[in-house]
Amino acid sequence: MMRRIVALFLFGLFVSVLACSSKVDPSSYQPPQLESSALTMSEMSLGSTREGKFPDDGHYLGYMFEARSGAGYDIILTRTSGQDVPAIVVYQFDDEGFSEAIAWASADAQVIQINGWTPEQAGQYLVLVDVVEGDRTGTFSLEVNCVSACGDDPSLGGPGALCQSDAQCEDGLECLLLDEGHGYCAEHCDCEELDGCTPPAQCLWTDGNACWCGYLCESDADCPDNGDGWTCYDIGSEMGGEPFFTCLPVDMDDY
């Protein structure tokens, strides 16, 4: 928990900085090339606020979130104490690591923000909190809010759509992963009543706490999209039990 986006400027991106004065020219800030070894990461959900202390020299602090293609996001950092000159930087993250910096803002200001940032691809992104100048003793709060096309993107997958992350699924669905690259948008279901699934899905999977809908089958054609990208697989025999055929979100001929 980014390689494709290498351009440092996005057409139509509006970056605003709320400031009364500036000791450091925002254009002079050069975002770092990130390496996981020097980075402390944590997850954050959209609409939430994370608080922290600015990182020490030589260390990086980042917050991961899921973003949807075509949606608009406001990223807001508030300096809550100290005189550090902050910066925020957006990177994409995938199985090959971090992309080049996609967007950033910095100024000697109490509030800096990136308004209306729109990712070209759904997936995981990181907001880096950095310090341009200062003794790094100050504190901050960070918000990431979806402000447009948050839940009405027609490209988002419904129940049974193939996916690689939650950001590719409609609201309320979770990308249930077979591995890092193969999953499907799954509904949650009632573990006791075994209902809540859109037919032909049935309440099949659990981790002991939550339950998800899945698909029984006799052939690939019984799987979503008439089996395109799916395999009807005897997972029961594979695990040493009785035959139990279910749809797996992968073409086993290519797996």
Side-chain angles (χ1 to χ4, degrees), residues 176-178 184 186-191 194 197 201-216 230 233-236 239 244-249:
L176 197 60
L177 292 168
L178 175 66
Y184 68 95
E187 297 170 294
H188 285 266
C189 52
D190 189 309
C191 296
L194 301 181
C197 300
Q202 301 180 46
C203 196
L204 294 182
W205 310 119
T206 184
D207 62 358
N209 296 306
C211 293
W212 295 269
C213 303
Y215 302 88
L216 298 178
W230 292 77
Y233 192 75
D234 181 6
I235 193 171
M239 299 180 68
F244 184 82
F245 287 86
T246 184
C247 297
L248 298 183

Side-chain angles (χ1 to χ4, degrees), residues 145-162:
N145 300 312
C146 185
V147 295
S148 64
C150 301
D152 55 1
D153 186 342
S155 67
L156 298 179
L162 298 175

Side-chain angles (χ1 to χ4, degrees), residues 112-147:
I112 59 175
Q113 61 192 71
I114 299 172
N115 284 339
W117 170 68
T118 302
E120 295 181 353
Q121 297 172 321
Q124 291 186 312
Y125 289 82
L126 179 135
V127 180
L128 176 75
V129 176
D130 200 4
V131 174
V132 180
E133 183 179 75
D135 59 11
R136 298 176 178 265
T137 60
T139 58
F140 67 89
S141 65
L142 179 71
E143 302 174 52
V144 180
N145 300 312
C146 185
V147 295

